[in-house]
Structures are given as C-alpha cells and as structure tokens.
Amino acid sequence: VKRIHQTSGNIIINGLWKDFPFDAQQGEFTVNAHLYDVDLSFAKSWPLATHVDANLKSNGRHMEVMIDKAILGDLPVSQLHLNFPQLGLGKEVILVHGVIQDKVSKMMQYLMKSPLRHKAKNWMIYDFQGNGILDLKLDIPLSKERDEVFVDGQLKISEQPLDLKIFTHPLRIENCQGQLHFNGNGLYAGTLKGRVGGDLFTMDVKNHPVEQDTELFIYGVMGLDVLKKAWGMESSNLISGHIPVEGRIRLPYEKGKNWEMDWTSHLKGV
C-alpha cells in the first residue's frame, strides 16, 4: 500500500492471545473495513493501481479485497478481486482477478507497461480500433519461495477494424472479432475472424510446443489488389482477381531470431 486517504471498519479479536490467529477455531479474528482512495502496488514492476475504493474482509489467515473502483494505469476498473489465502505460513500469495472493459489499444498499452512487455513485443503487430474485454488473473508471490508472477489472461475482441502489421503496409481487416489468450510468455492461443476487402478471413494463434514461438495460421480468400497494397506492389498489373490463401507466420520468442512467413495458394480465381 502506497497511500491511504481514509478507512473505516471494525476488528474483532476474541480468544486467548497464545491461540492467535485461532487456526483450530479456539477464538475469533475478523476484520471488516472499507478503504477509500488508496494507491496500491500489486507486484514489482506492474503499474500502480490508484484511487482504489475497496471492501476488505479477513477471517483468520484468509483475507479478500473486493475493489469497487480503481485506475490501473489509464484504465478505469470496476471488477477486481484480491484473495490472500493462508497468510502467515511462509508461502503467501496474492491471487488477483480483474475484468476490464475499454479500448483494446489502451489495454494492450497497460500490459506493455508490465513485465509482460519483454515477452509480448509481438503484440505490436495488432492495431485494434475498438473496444474489448480483458479478463486478467495474476498469482503473485509474497514470500521468497518463488519470484515469478504467474499470469493468465484473455482478451475478447468485439467487432471492429484491425490493422495487421506484418507486411510492408498494414493489412486492414474489417468486422474483426474473437479472442486472444496469453500468459507470462506472451500469446499462446486464440482466433480472430473478419473480412479483408469483403472476403472472409480467419487467423488462428498457436504456441510452438518446443521453442515457444507464436505461430499465426491464416485462412481465407483475398483480393490480389489488397495483397499488392499490403506488399507495396500496387504498380504491378500483371495479375488480378481473388485467390484462396493459407499462410503461416512464426514470430520468434527469443531475441535475435527472424520472423518466418510461408504462403500457399493454388491460384484459382486469378
């Protein structure tokens, strides 16, 4: 806790001090409080949560905090739950679960200000133009038994334009919607669907099981004029039409490795 403006509530301790905190139910230790305008740091290097209003309840070694409202970076939050199981036993953790609704670009900026930025640089290929829902879970150690923060998240994309920055120029996908799943190593699963120039487009996101690279599998039909624009080849008039395509794009997990991109088509419709 970095700052508390105001608190109210009550604490009940009923029993012999030698039995505290009453693991065998020899007594009672409860806390019920409301916290107003608190600044809170969940974990090292994660953005500060500011202007937090929350209800705190504690019973014995278990404590939970239900946050009514807060600001995470630039994101207003109204659904955030903190759970502290088994306090005082040397293996303390904070389990954080929050749901955020806002512009997808703002949510991705928040994640890029966290320790995930070192593993999630490939997210920058997605330039979403609308809103979404971020469902984020954190398992944060308070003891020295481990240092790593476990992350599990899902980004649900409502229908909106997406500029996919994998070519010379962005590829515009209209009516894009779907889900992206991520953990502490970056994106590992998901599906996005939409239209490219009126043609149906599907992209599956998968994680390479050995090297941990992110792989994008693209299926659909694309107009050659759209592809030529993406590749910066508008001046070429040798071919035209719409063709079915299958593509695989491999985005490296480790620094120093290059992207890999493979495209195939039987050219029916040229």
Side-chain angles (χ1 to χ4, degrees), residues 13-214:
I13 302 177
N14 183 17
L16 297 177
W17 187 250
K18 67 180 181 66
D19 296 326
F20 183 84
F22 315 118
D23 293 330
Q25 299 181 344
Q26 310 96 323
E28 179 184 6
F29 170 51
T30 60
V31 178
N32 288 279
H34 195 84
L35 312 177
Y36 302 90
D37 198 13
V38 176
D39 291 348
L40 178 65
S41 176
F42 296 133
K44 182 179 179 181
S45 300
W46 281 80
L48 196 68
T50 59
H51 305 295
V52 174
D53 287 355
N55 290 300
L56 182 152
K57 293 184 178 182
S58 179
N59 187 352
R61 295 187 184 275
H62 180 260
M63 181 172 68
E64 62 179 346
V65 180
M66 295 296 297
I67 294 178
D68 300 323
K69 65 177 183 178
I71 303 294
L72 293 181
D74 296 325
L75 294 171
V77 182
S78 59
Q79 302 178 53
L80 195 59
H81 180 227
L82 279 61
N83 190 16
F84 301 76
Q86 299 300 310
L87 290 170
L89 297 179
K91 298 182 179 181
E92 293 83 356
V93 297
I94 308 176
L95 304 178
V96 180
H97 182 205
V99 178
I100 303 169
Q101 300 185 48
D102 211 306
K103 290 186 177 297
V104 177
S105 58
K106 290 176 64 177
M107 291 187 279
M108 296 183 76
Q109 288 171 12
Y110 169 76
L111 294 173
M112 293 303 291
K113 292 177 182 178
S114 77
L116 294 180
R117 63 184 177 274
H118 302 297
K119 306 289 180 64
K121 58 184 182 297
N122 290 329
W123 295 13
M124 304 310 294
I125 68 171
Y126 305 98
D127 185 5
F128 291 100
Q129 308 291 318
N131 294 336
I133 300 174
L134 174 63
D135 191 322
L136 180 64
K137 297 177 182 178
L138 304 176
D139 182 334
I140 303 168
L142 297 179
S143 66
K144 295 182 179 180
E145 190 169 82
R146 65 176 167 90
D147 296 325
E148 183 182 5
V149 175
F150 296 147
V151 180
D152 183 37
Q154 173 182 292
L155 188 57
K156 186 176 182 180
I157 310 299
S158 56
E159 189 171 301
Q160 62 191 272
L162 164 65
D163 285 336
L164 192 61
K165 298 180 178 180
I166 55 176
F167 302 100
T168 306
H169 302 292
L171 177 68
R172 170 57 65 98
I173 304 169
E174 300 288 353
N175 309 116
C176 182
Q177 58 185 317
Q179 297 180 358
L180 296 173
H181 300 266
F182 62 92
N183 55 24
N185 291 323
L187 293 172
Y188 68 87
T191 297
L192 296 175
K193 295 185 177 182
R195 291 184 175 272
V196 176
D199 297 311
L200 293 176
F201 170 95
T202 299
M203 182 173 69
D204 291 331
V205 180
K206 298 182 180 180
N207 181 256
H208 192 280
V210 178
E211 299 185 22
Q212 301 302 309
D213 294 345
T214 299

Side-chain angles (χ1 to χ4, degrees), residues 223-270:
L224 288 171
D225 56 338
V226 174
L227 287 174
K228 286 189 289 184
K229 182 178 180 181
W231 284 109
M233 300 171 60
E234 293 100 324
S235 61
S236 174
N237 296 315
L238 294 177
I239 56 175
S240 63
H242 293 249
I243 59 172
V245 296
E246 294 185 6
R248 181 187 70 93
I249 302 168
R250 186 165 172 175
L251 307 176
Y253 173 74
E254 297 180 354
K255 293 181 179 180
K257 293 177 61 178
N258 295 321
W259 291 17
E260 295 179 10
M261 187 180 299
D262 301 307
W263 293 89
T264 60
S265 175
H266 53 60
L267 300 180
K268 182 179 180 181
V270 173

